[in-house]
Each structure stands twice: as C-alpha cells, then as structure tokens.
Amino acid sequence: MVSAHAYAVVTEGLRKRYGDVMALNGLDLAVPAGTVRGLLGPNGAGKTTAVRILATLLRPDAGRAEVAGCDVVTQAVEVRYRIGLVGQYAAVDEVLSGRQNLVMFGRLYHLSPRAARRRADELLEQFRLTDAADRAVKEYSGGMRRRLDLAASLILTPAVLFLDEPTTGLDPRARDEVWEAVRSLVNEGTTVLLTTQYLEEADRLAHEISVIDGGRVIAEGTPEQLKSKIGGDQIDVMVSDAAHLDHTAGLITSVVGQQAQIAHRERRVSVPVTDRVAALTSVARALHDAGIEAEDIVLRRPTLDEVFLRLTGDAAANSPKEKVA
Amino acid sequence: MTIIPAAMPRTFVGRLRWAVADGWTITLRSLAHWKQQPAQFLITLMFPIMIALLFGYLFGGSMVVPGGGNYREFLMPGLFAMTMLFGVESTMIAVATDASRGVTDRFRSMPMASSAVVVGRAIADMVDALLVLVVLLGCGVAIGWRWREGIGDAALALGLLLLLRFAFIWIGIYLGLVVRNPESVMVVQIVVWPIGFLANTFSSPAGMPDWLGMVAEWNPLSSTVAATRQLFGNPGWGGDSWIAEHALLMAVVWPLLLTAVFLPLAVRRYRRLSL
Ligand SMILES: Nc1ncnc2c1ncn2[C@@H]1O[C@H](COP(=O)(O)OP(=O)(O)O)[C@@H](O)[C@H]1O
Ligand SMILES: [Mg+2]
C-alpha cells in the first residue's frame, strides 16, 4: 500500500458490475496530493462510476479506495468532510437563491448559522455571483449555475475535489471560467480528480492523465508522455490501388518504426510519427522508390478516436482476454 | 479563508443532535420553497375548494346521502381525506426533482445525517398538510359544514387525517426515488385519482356494483373518511361489513401498516441509491 500522505487518492483493484456490464474492472489509481489528475476516457469507460465510488455514493464490489487517507467504505463520513463533488449536472436547488443554497449547504456541513452566512458571502464574491446572490437559481445562466455548483463544493475547502465532466455542455466562455477556478484551487493545495472526454481539457488542466477504457487504466502519464506515446502527429497515405495497402503498410512501418494501421474502405494507411517533417519526407521517398502511387499524403494531429483506438489496441495486445476491435 | 469543520460527534447524543439539526435545515429549505413560490400552495388549495363547490352545489342536488342528511356535510370529510391522499404527488415531485437534478447526490456526498433528507421532507410535508387542512376546514364552515361532537373528537379526526398524510409521505418518497424523474409523476397521478374516487368519498359503496363496492370499502381512504365522519358527527353510511364497522380502528391500522411497509423501503432506497 502506498503511503496515504503522499497520495490524496488511491484505488486498488476497484471493481463494479452492473448486470453484464463491468463498469469498473480493476481500476488502480494513485494521485499525488496537490496535483490535478485527469481521467480521460470515452463514454461508458467507467469515469462516473469511479467518481461515485470515491465520493462515497456507491460501494465497490471489490477492491479498495482511500481518499485523503480515509477508506471510502469504512470511513465514509470522514471522507465526506474532505471532499467536494461536482457532478455532471449542477446539483443546486433551483427554487432557492444562490445565497440560500450556499447557506443551506454550509449548515449541512455543520457550520454555525453565522459562519455559514459569512462563508456564503465569501464564495459568492469569489465566484462573481454577488450581484445575482438573491435571485432564484432558475434564472441563472449555465455558467453561473456551474460556478454556484463549484462554490457549494468548496464550502469546507476540501482536500480533494472531484469534477465529473465539469465543462460538458458549457459554452467556451463558461468553460474557461471553470478552468480558471480549478487552477486557482490547485494553487491553494487542493487535489483535483477531473474526468473528461476531451483530450484538450485534460491537456490544459492535468499534471497527469490516466486514460481509462473498459473500467481500467490503459495508459498513464503526463500529457507530454502520453502524446509521445501516441506519437503526436500522424501521417495518412491514401493509395490509388487497394492491392497495394498491405505492402504500403509494411513499408511505412519499417521506415517510421511504428505500427501502421490500414483503413481498407478509405484505402488509407495511417502511422503515428514524432519527427513530423523528417518522417513525411522519408515516407514519400520510400513510396516513390517502391513505385507505389499515392493519391494523397497528409500530416495531421490524431483525432481523439484514434488516440483511444491506439491505446485500447495496445492494451488489448497486452491482455489476451480482451478481443481486438 | 479555510473553514475548520466541527469534529464528528462520537456519542449517541451528539449524533442525535446533528440528525435533528440537519433535519431541521432540510425542513427550512422546503418551507423556503413555499415562500418563494406561494402560487404553488394556492394551486394545491384550489383543487379541493373547486371540488367542494362543484360537488357541493352543482352535483350536490342529485346526490343522495345514505341515511339522509346534508350532502355537503357528507362531502367535506371525504374531501379532507382525499386532499391528504393527493399530497402524495407533491411529496413525490419534490423528491424526484432532487434526485434527477443531482441534489440528492450532493446531500449524500456531504457529512450530514443520512436520516435528515427524509425526515426533513416528512416534517415539511406535515406542516403543509396542517396548513391545507386549516384552510379547508374554513372553507367547509363557509359552505355549511359543521363538527358536532365537540372539540376533542374533532381534534382526533384531524389527527387521523394527518396520520393518513403521514403514511402517504413515505409512499411518495419511495416512489419519487424509484422514478427519479418529476415528469413521471403524471403516471402516478393516473393511479392516485381512482384511489381518491373509488372510495366512500363522494358516494356510498352500497350504491356501487358488488366487487367495486368491496374494493371501495377496503380502500384505506374509506376507513379514514368513515372514521372522521363519525368523529365530526357528520352524516355517513354505516355499512354492515367488518371493515365498515371497524372504521375507527382501521383508520389507525391502515396508515400504520402503510408506514411500516414504506418507511423502511424509502430509507433503504435513499441509502442505496446507486443509479
Ligand atoms: N446504474 C447503472 N446501471 C446499469 N449500468 C450502468 C449504471 N451506471 C453505469 N452503467 C454502465 O457502466 C458503464 C460505465 O458507466 P459510467 O461510469 O457512467 O461511464 P462514463 O462516466 O465514463 O461515461 C457503462 O457501460 C454504463 O452503461
Ligand atoms: Mg460519466
């Protein structure tokens, strides 16, 4: 077991099953205190399930998890004092005003009435909601709701903050506001676990990213490490004759030193590359030397789909149980 | 500013104090809702008042009170009880709204007493029921309804009505947590309405086809209605079946039975919400 002091969130072999679906299938995480960890994964990867277990809303079927040094199952109340949770929907009372919401939540954290009111005022100020403080939340914009939601999660300045797709459905301006708020929290020492489907978001906010799919971590590292693992850029070669696909793929694999992938229908061969221009030049030369006619050669960034495909492909190669797509 | 939370209480009394404080916070929240939306409260009231006027004056002439007597005096206890029954919808909407918006999840991720949400809801709804009853009693008096058996029996009758509402709170909380979607409440309305009418509320089960009359008599609502008619000294239909003869007893037993079934279900559902 890793030391509880160095890590704010630790999970070991976490499993959760819904009927036939393994929502979590042996999730291992260790998030150093004071850092932002991005949980990056496609829809259905198990991100929300993981967050719900860590926030004591759900019991794991197997494995264990510690948050801020407390076990999420046996010390649930202690954990609840140390966390904030921002879920996929702004979880605030729509009928009450922003201030009434914050005072109510403060009281439920067992602050005295006076302390709850003072804390509400501070948070309203911090999240620029003072002007709207006494309006019903129904009348708030999406971004304002999100900010209030965030404020409500920060009443006790939690040691660990969970953000489950905090910017999904927000316009770019509101998204920037949320990012800004998260950054300033981290400066104050809060550990953040953030789930997202967007590589860009994880890249901007997280010190380290855990890519999850099928309920477990399939790759982990700093954004730079992941990108170099994925290969950053990608070269696509469209051949005129489908019969040349296999030969082309073999050729490119040997030139670039990375496994090239074939998309038959598009008559395309794709390969991740690190040294953009040099790779492009050598691929073009190799094709020319071998007498393969290319319709088009493109250098581009991989789409998120390709990133996942590549990582899940790697993971599948390492574990024979899973079938390769 | 860093907020230092109060330490978690270790003793039973300490925990109880927290449970009471948290329950009260949730109660105040629901009361604040009505203050923010007074129209909601008025709409809840409009319905029974409209029914009272409709049945009392429009159809009232053609309604025969079993054993003779003023139809409006027969009607009012039925309306009181029916309003208590329909309260199940507002409980359900409130609970389902919280569940669907993630508010319930936020509560559950906080270090508050786990009983508080359910208990606070129950207290708030009882306060609401009491207010509604007081207004309805006033309306009843205005259209000629009276209680004739003294203040003690009248208070007992009110107690039975509130007991019925109490039982339906747990049904409402349970169903609200099951459907988790305020829009689905419509479906429940379709079920609740027949329960309100398929009883001795507006007419006597003796006048219904046999099997329907039987269902109406065993409807928990009927026991409360019959018992309150008795206690208010309003005209009613005695009936000679076992259930009709033990109305007073059953007006206590039914709600207690429903509570015994649905209170644990509701609390368990809240604790284990895992969707
Ligand atoms: N309450 C539930 N009942 C049944 N299946 C569920 C439930 N919650 C999640 N799942 C399934 O578990 C998997 C992981 O879901 P989730 O954790 O919500 O993924 P993510 O948040 O990454 O999109 C999905 O296949 C989802 O359908
Ligand atoms: Mg999710």
Side-chain angles (χ1 to χ4, degrees):
Chain A
M1 181 86 224
V2 264
S3 151
H5 298 293
Y7 292 96
V9 178
V10 176
T11 73
E12 284 176 351
L14 224 45
R15 276 172 216 282
K16 179 76 196 178
R17 160 190 226 121
Y18 291 109
D20 292 340
V21 180
M22 269 300 210
L24 289 183
N25 192 6
L27 185 79
D28 296 313
L29 282 177
V31 183
T35 65
V36 182
R37 170 66 57 97
L39 277 192
L40 178 66
N43 226 333
K47 304 182 296 294
T48 299
T49 306
V51 166
R52 291 178 65 85
I53 288 175
L54 291 170
T56 76
L57 297 178
L58 201 61
R59 271 168 183 264
D61 295 337
R64 51 186 301 280
E66 256 182 29
V67 172
C70 304
D71 187 283
V72 296
V73 175
T74 59
Q75 299 172 287
V77 179
E78 281 88 346
V79 169
R80 290 175 191 153
Y81 265 119
R82 293 166 172 79
I83 60 168
L85 171 65
V86 178
Q88 263 161 294
Y89 309 96
V92 286
D93 188 316
E94 305 251 314
V95 177
L96 300 184
S97 69
R99 177 177 281 121
Q100 282 175 316
N101 264 287
L102 293 178
V103 172
M104 169 181 71
F105 289 124
R107 293 289 288 139
L108 292 174
Y109 277 115
H110 306 115
L111 300 181
S112 69
R114 178 137 48 112
R117 278 197 301 273
R118 211 176 45 212
R119 184 67 180 140
D121 286 338
E122 275 175 12
L123 287 166
L124 288 166
E125 176 88 42
Q126 183 183 338
F127 287 91
R128 290 177 292 108
L129 290 168
T130 306
D131 291 340
D134 295 311
R135 265 195 278 144
V137 172
K138 292 202 270 275
E139 296 165 25
Y140 283 22
S141 69
M144 289 162 77
R145 270 175 217 227
R146 253 290 173 246
R147 273 164 19 222
L148 181 66
D149 196 30
L150 208 50
S153 310
L154 300 179
I155 288 173
L156 290 190
T157 40
V160 182
L161 179 66
F162 299 108
L163 298 164
D164 193 9
E165 301 196 20
T167 59
T168 301
L170 290 188
D171 58 51
R173 210 191 98 130
R175 188 195 59 190
D176 288 347
E177 287 175 357
V178 171
W179 286 359
E180 199 45 55
V182 171
R183 283 199 196 94
S184 71
L185 272 174
V186 177
N187 290 338
E188 290 165 28
T190 297
T191 307
V192 176
L193 187 80
L194 164 113
T195 81
T196 180
Q197 300 192 40
Y198 307 115
L199 190 58
E200 187 201 359
E201 184 162 68
D203 193 6
R204 291 278 190 92
L205 290 177
H207 297 110
E208 286 186 299
I209 298 174
S210 300
V211 183
I212 68 171
D213 191 43
R216 58 206 182 88
V217 177
I218 57 169
E220 206 161 55
T222 62
E224 274 60 44
Q225 285 168 341
L226 278 180
K227 270 193 226 154
S228 71
K229 181 165 181 187
I230 296 161
D233 294 313
Q234 168 144 340
I235 291 177
D236 288 346
V237 176
M238 264 66 73
V239 294
S240 336
D241 185 350
H244 290 155
L245 274 173
D246 287 333
H247 181 41
T248 310
L251 193 66
I252 293 179
T253 302
S254 67
V255 169
V256 176
Q258 291 272 1
Q259 181 64 50
Q261 313 249 332
I262 301 177
H264 285 279
R265 197 144 37 90
E266 292 85 1
R267 276 184 281 120
R268 189 183 66 209
V269 176
S270 307
V271 69
V273 295
T274 35
D275 47 353
R276 305 159 46 94
V277 180
L280 186 61
T281 319
S282 48
V283 165
R285 186 177 308 128
L287 289 175
H288 179 262
D289 290 351
I292 296 171
E293 197 181 317
E295 240 167 40
D296 202 359
I297 302 182
V298 187
L299 179 68
R300 65 178 175 85
R301 312 222 60 158
T303 66
L304 191 57
D305 285 347
E306 285 163 335
V307 171
F308 283 129
L309 193 66
R310 188 150 290 275
L311 290 171
T312 48
D314 287 357
N318 296 335
S319 81
K321 274 173 296 178
E322 311 233 334
K323 63 172 193 278
V324 187
Chain B
M1 180 179 97
T2 304
I3 296 283
I4 311 290
M8 207 182 99
R10 302 257 161 232
T11 62
F12 174 75
V13 176
R15 275 167 206 249
L16 194 67
R17 272 230 317 269
W18 275 27
V20 171
D22 293 348
W24 183 235
T25 303
I26 299 292
T27 307
L28 289 180
R29 170 204 178 206
S30 307
L31 298 181
H33 270 213
W34 297 325
K35 217 170 119 196
Q36 299 280 71
Q37 314 178 295
Q40 210 86 345
F41 183 74
L42 290 180
I43 290 168
T44 327
L45 275 176
M46 292 278 276
F47 181 73
I49 292 176
M50 244 173 51
I51 296 261
L53 296 178
L54 209 62
F55 278 81
Y57 292 95
L58 207 60
F59 309 146
S62 59
M63 302 297 256
V64 186
V65 179
N70 182 332
Y71 181 69
R72 288 199 286 278
E73 293 220 3
F74 172 83
L75 176 68
M76 285 317 289
L79 274 184
F80 297 151
M82 197 179 76
T83 308
M84 296 298 102
L85 167 70
F86 286 176
V88 74
E89 287 170 16
S90 63
T91 303
M92 213 182 131
I93 292 176
V95 171
T97 305
D98 276 358
S100 69
R101 299 278 156 77
V103 176
T104 309
D105 277 349
R106 180 181 293 289
F107 285 146
R108 290 178 66 240
S109 76
M110 293 175 64
M112 57 190 276
S114 65
S115 61
V117 173
V118 177
V119 170
R121 171 91 266 138
I123 296 176
D125 283 351
M126 290 309 285
V127 172
D128 174 63
L130 188 62
L131 284 177
V132 169
L133 268 182
V134 167
V135 176
L136 282 184
L137 287 176
C139 292
V141 168
I143 65 170
W145 167 83
R146 295 288 180 273
W147 67 86
R148 307 182 183 282
E149 299 287 339
I151 199 79
D153 280 0
L156 201 55
L158 282 186
L160 288 180
L161 289 167
L162 290 173
L163 186 65
L164 186 72
R165 178 74 181 91
F166 184 75
F168 277 100
I169 284 173
W170 306 106
I171 299 180
I173 293 177
Y174 176 68
L175 293 179
L177 290 176
V178 170
V179 303
R180 297 173 64 89
N181 175 0
E183 273 86 63
S184 317
V185 173
M186 294 282 275
V187 180
V188 173
Q189 278 174 343
I190 294 169
V191 183
V192 170
W193 278 59
I195 298 179
F197 287 88
L198 195 58
N200 57 2
T201 331
F202 298 102
S203 56
S204 108
M208 303 177 187
D210 268 358
W211 66 274
L212 217 56
M214 176 111 132
V215 173
E217 281 197 276
W218 282 88
N219 183 340
L221 194 64
S222 293
S223 298
T224 302
V225 174
T228 46
R229 280 186 186 135
Q230 214 172 308
L231 289 167
F232 283 134
N234 295 142
W237 170 72
D240 48 13
S241 60
W242 184 90
I243 183 91
E245 279 174 359
H246 294 83
L248 211 48
L249 174 72
M250 290 310 287
V252 176
V253 170
W254 268 130
L256 290 184
L257 203 66
L258 291 173
T259 306
V261 172
F262 283 95
L263 190 149
L265 278 179
V267 171
R268 210 177 65 146
R269 185 86 200 174
Y270 174 76
R271 292 224 170 110
R272 301 193 351 176
L273 258 192
S274 57
L275 286 164

